[in-house]
Amino acid sequence: MPELPEVEVVRAGLAPAVTGARVTAVDVLDVRALTRHDAASGDFEALLTGANIEAAVRRGKFLWLPIGGDRAIVGHLGMSGQLLLRTPDHPGDDRHARIRLHLEHPEYGELRVDFVDQRTFGSLAVDLLVPAADGEIAGFSAGVTGEWSRSLPSQVAHIARDPIDPAFSDDAFVDALARRVSAVKRVLLDQGVVSGIGNIYADESLWLVRLHAEQPAASLGRRRSRELLAAVREVLERALAEGGTSFDAQYVNVNGASGYFAHSLNAYGRAGLPCPRCGTSMVREPFMNRSSHRCPRCQRLRMPRHAAST
């Protein structure tokens, strides 16, 4: 499933083309792509046709396009969703295309955004914007702001800020770890604590600071918790610089290009290969209906009698 870097790459690619554009027409080719759209709020096509897109905004793995007033187009890519920029004369022969947005941009002219989703777990929706609980800028929009900037879609309101959000609270994250006796990886994957970190980048971050996925979060202490947060940021920023992680054709940017961070992975997907740090064979272990990848020498489970106080 796409994580923060993959969604940010899509947001950054869409932003110049959609910001300031008017939606001239909408084609819903598969209603399954509207599973998160509340029909009671209005017809999807009618709500969008004629609307002006004001920005492209992201929090964690969620992406939204404010369209004026108190509404936004919310996109969730699911496992295989793609938002692809097309020219208006593109043949549109992709059999997995679910929705097409036809746009008119004041600078770039006619454009099209195709929502393509092979596995149909992703969706688009028109959702109401609600005020951010902390009153801060609600999501990352690369400096583009407007009346919508301190609001976010109701579908995203329960999602915590991500570690590269300027309004992210380091102290709140450290406090959250200190209160939890569950596995530290479980906390990293809890979107109510911190958003945007999925299985790949959790494994990479834990490898970087030599932590076992099952290490109780409360046992880390404040210093180690801050080291982990720094590692998460380092991993996410490196992945962003390389365009995200691509393992197959499902993970692409708005132009259909793959990310290259998969070539830089130290832990995820490397079972049986030597640890880049010590040479020990990496292992793959079950974790929450998925897998964890770690070095059995560098990342040992340590069970102290009480949590560290530093």
Side-chain angles (χ1 to χ4, degrees):
M1 182 175 292
E3 302 179 24
L4 182 156
E6 291 75 48
V7 179
E8 174 55 24
V9 167
V10 172
R11 188 212 65 77
L14 282 178
V18 303
T19 302
R22 182 172 64 91
V23 181
T24 58
V26 179
D27 300 327
V28 177
L29 307 176
D30 189 335
V31 295
R32 290 178 297 177
L34 296 178
T35 53
R36 290 181 175 86
H37 176 71
D38 183 3
S41 67
D43 178 76
F44 181 82
E45 295 181 33
L47 289 170
L48 286 186
T49 303
N52 293 307
I53 299 175
E54 301 183 27
V57 193
R58 179 196 52 76
R59 175 181 285 200
K61 307 174 189 179
F62 282 85
L63 173 71
W64 67 92
L65 312 175
I67 56 173
D70 58 355
R71 295 181 186 271
I73 309 168
V74 184
H76 195 288
L77 301 182
M79 295 183 68
S80 61
Q82 303 169 351
L83 286 166
L84 302 175
L85 281 176
R86 305 292 199 193
T87 57
D89 58 352
H90 188 279
D93 55 359
D94 194 318
R95 63 190 178 94
H96 301 301
R98 309 300 177 188
I99 297 174
R100 293 195 177 105
L101 304 181
H102 301 268
L103 309 178
E104 178 70 35
H105 192 279
E107 181 178 353
Y108 305 118
E110 293 184 26
L111 300 168
R112 199 176 81 216
V113 176
D114 288 1
F115 179 61
V116 177
D117 190 6
Q118 178 177 333
R119 299 173 186 170
T120 68
F121 292 126
S123 70
L124 298 184
V126 177
D127 193 18
L128 289 174
L129 293 172
V130 298
D134 57 11
E136 300 291 339
I137 300 295
F140 183 76
S141 56
V144 179
T145 59
E147 292 183 2
W148 45 266
S149 61
R150 296 182 187 275
S151 299
L152 70 170
S154 65
Q155 297 182 19
V156 189
H158 66 290
I159 300 297
R161 293 185 180 274
D162 60 67
I164 60 176
D165 186 322
F168 183 85
S169 172
D170 292 14
D171 288 340
F173 174 80
V174 171
D175 290 344
L177 289 181
R179 292 193 300 268
R180 285 166 169 78
V181 295
S182 55
V184 63
K185 182 174 177 179
R186 184 182 292 269
V187 180
L188 290 179
L189 298 179
D190 185 344
Q191 300 294 293
V193 175
V194 55
S195 66
I197 308 170
N199 207 38
I200 297 172
Y201 299 120
D203 280 359
E204 290 300 299
S205 302
L206 292 169
W207 179 87
L208 197 57
V209 290
R210 303 175 184 242
L211 281 173
H212 193 294
E214 295 282 1
Q215 188 70 35
S219 72
L220 300 187
R222 303 188 73 83
R223 179 180 59 81
R224 287 289 275 157
S225 294
R226 291 185 183 278
E227 289 175 355
L228 173 59
L229 179 56
V232 167
R233 287 189 172 124
E234 178 180 336
V235 167
L236 292 177
E237 288 167 359
R238 280 175 30 220
L240 271 170
E242 297 190 36
T245 303
S246 294
F247 291 108
D248 56 39
Q250 304 307 314
Y251 297 87
V252 297
N253 65 18
V254 295
N255 298 313
S258 299
Y260 294 98
F261 191 64
H263 302 295
S264 304
L265 294 174
N266 291 305
Y268 187 86
R270 290 180 50 84
L273 296 175
C275 170
R277 187 165 43 218
C278 73
T280 304
S281 292
M282 303 287 289
V283 296
R284 176 179 177 270
E285 299 169 330
F287 185 88
M288 292 175 58
N289 297 319
R290 59 192 86 182
S291 298
S292 283
H293 303 79
R294 70 177 180 92
C295 172
R297 181 179 180 182
C298 295
Q299 297 172 265
R300 298 177 182 177
L301 183 62
R302 305 182 188 281
M303 303 296 290
R305 294 181 179 178
H306 56 81
S309 59
T310 60

